[in-house]
Amino acid sequence: MGINQKSKKYLGSFEEYLKNEKNFSIHTIRAYLADVLTFLIWVNEADIEEIDTKKFSEYLYFIDKANYTKTTIARKIASIRSFYRFLYREEIIDFNPTDSVNGPKRTKNLPSFLSDDEIETILTNVKISTPSGYRNRVIFELLWVSGMRISELSGLNYENLNLEQNEITVYGKGAKERIVLIPDRTKDVLKNYIENVSNLICKTEKSAKCPVFINNHGYRLQNQSIRKALKEVVNNIEISKKVTPHVFRHSFATRLLEKGADLRVVQELLGHASIANTQIYTHVSIQRLKTVYEKTHPRA
């Protein structure tokens, strides 16, 4: 099996579209291209213009039998649909065969979150006696108090910090800019890291375009390194939940809503394009209310 040469050319144009117009992350672009490439290899040498709804439905049947999860299948369908919408927009095709085909509905799992005590346990168990340990403590606290995504945090440069106003500018999905807020306590530990600790990790300049969080070689600290550091801390304490950097984000949103924050405010702080993405946290709060009710109400 191979890939039609015209399809290969279109795939290259699609990649440029995702980079330059959609401003997708490298990780997202790779996932989209891999999904579309798998589909194009499956249809073999068929011209892209000849692929109809029946052929696309056959592919869905094929990947369904491959025992992918519903979430993976939904992502593959979304990638291929995006590709075909691009082709339709560019007038390469006259008909989009993916429009009339429904994929599996995703199972909506309630996001996991940590209690205040669990977060404090994690933070207090970070060994801050070393420069890298202090850096990690600052990172975990920032994730908790700001609701930033891990990629947003690792991508911070000094020009993004406005510590006088307790503000940090971050760039989320699709390079969408927003302001996140931090409390005075977090501002103080961040300033101490910048002024006194970062040079102990590696001496580097601190100009506007330089990364805030660096590794021992002075380069930007990568997401994988942050995940690894968090895993090492969690493995040494007794927390039954799976803890990832994104769980800090879930915890941030859940806590704000439980304290009475407006849903639109939480949406803005999280950088969600749609409020539907934020509403899932209201379900978490309701579930917690039900748990408390069942434990405490005499008639429950």
Side-chain angles (χ1 to χ4, degrees):
M1 301 180 77
I3 178 173
N4 183 284
Q5 288 303 306
K6 282 200 299 183
S7 298
K8 188 174 182 180
K9 176 184 174 184
Y10 297 149
L11 188 60
S13 300
F14 180 57
E15 180 179 5
E16 292 302 312
Y17 162 75
L18 296 178
K19 285 180 182 176
N20 301 323
E21 293 192 38
K22 301 297 286 184
N23 291 315
F24 282 173
S25 68
I26 294 175
H27 176 76
T28 302
I29 292 172
R30 284 175 181 168
Y32 270 52
L33 295 179
D35 291 338
V36 175
L37 180 61
T38 302
F39 172 67
L40 293 176
I41 292 173
W42 183 82
V43 299
N44 204 2
E45 292 292 336
D47 282 342
I48 202 77
E49 299 92 334
E50 297 173 357
I51 299 171
D52 55 15
T53 300
K54 181 175 181 293
K55 193 70 174 176
F56 182 60
S57 297
E58 289 174 358
Y59 181 69
L60 296 189
Y61 179 80
F62 166 74
I63 59 177
D64 183 57
K65 293 301 179 183
N67 293 321
Y68 289 114
T69 64
K70 287 185 178 181
T71 301
T72 300
I73 292 174
R75 191 207 68 215
K76 288 179 177 291
I77 293 172
S79 300
I80 298 167
R81 277 194 173 134
S82 181
F83 177 60
Y84 268 95
R85 284 168 185 160
F86 165 75
L87 296 177
Y88 185 79
R89 191 195 76 163
E90 296 297 309
E91 299 183 351
I92 294 170
I93 56 174
D94 298 321
F95 167 74
N96 185 344
T98 70
D99 276 346
S100 58
V101 179
N102 295 321
K105 290 185 177 180
R106 296 191 191 191
T107 302
K108 289 188 177 180
N109 297 317
L110 294 180
S112 175
F113 65 95
L114 301 167
S115 68
D116 292 351
D117 288 343
E118 287 169 332
I119 288 174
E120 286 301 325
T121 298
I122 292 171
L123 294 179
T124 55
N125 276 276
V126 180
K127 297 178 180 178
I128 60 174
S129 55
T130 65
S132 59
Y134 188 92
R135 175 203 62 202
N136 294 342
R137 166 67 186 263
V138 175
I139 287 172
F140 301 153
E141 183 163 336
L142 266 177
L143 289 172
W144 158 228
V145 303
S146 70
M148 275 189 277
R149 300 178 179 93
I150 184 175
S151 58
E152 295 168 347
L153 184 141
S154 63
L156 290 177
N157 294 333
Y158 284 104
E159 64 181 350
N160 303 131
L161 306 181
N162 180 7
L163 297 185
E164 292 301 316
Q165 299 297 323
N166 293 52
E167 297 176 355
I168 299 177
T169 302
V170 300
Y171 295 91
K173 292 183 177 180
K176 184 181 177 182
E177 178 182 319
R178 75 179 190 281
I179 301 293
V180 299
L181 308 175
I182 59 173
D184 287 337
R185 169 182 147 175
T186 307
K187 177 180 71 173
D188 291 341
V189 296
L190 177 57
K191 286 179 70 174
N192 187 50
Y193 161 77
I194 292 170
E195 295 170 2
N196 303 310
V197 180
S198 61
N199 279 341
L200 299 177
I201 296 174
C202 185
K203 288 189 177 181
T204 59
E205 62 175 320
K206 293 181 173 62
S207 59
K209 298 293 184 181
C210 290
V212 175
F213 296 107
I214 57 174
N215 60 23
N216 293 336
H217 301 288
Y219 296 112
R220 186 182 303 279
L221 193 68
Q222 298 300 305
N223 297 350
Q224 184 179 357
S225 298
I226 298 173
R227 291 192 181 96
K228 182 180 178 182
L230 179 59
K231 186 177 180 180
E232 288 174 353
V233 174
V234 174
N235 284 344
N236 292 323
I237 56 181
E238 293 184 4
I239 291 184
S240 58
K241 300 172 185 175
K242 181 179 180 181
V243 181
T244 67
H246 213 67
V247 169
F248 281 84
R249 180 170 161 87
H250 294 326
S251 305
F252 166 82
T254 303
R255 196 70 69 254
L256 287 180
L257 289 168
E258 286 181 343
K259 296 296 184 181
D262 182 84
L263 192 63
R264 290 287 182 185
V265 172
V266 179
Q267 177 192 4
E268 185 66 27
L269 289 171
L270 291 174
H272 283 160
S274 169
I275 200 167
N277 296 328
T278 315
Q279 284 174 329
I280 190 170
Y281 296 107
T282 63
H283 300 313
V284 173
S285 298
I286 291 169
Q287 184 60 46
R288 187 169 181 180
L289 286 174
K290 286 180 178 178
T291 301
V292 172
Y293 175 85
E294 290 168 359
K295 285 182 177 180
T296 59
H297 196 281
R299 297 291 187 183

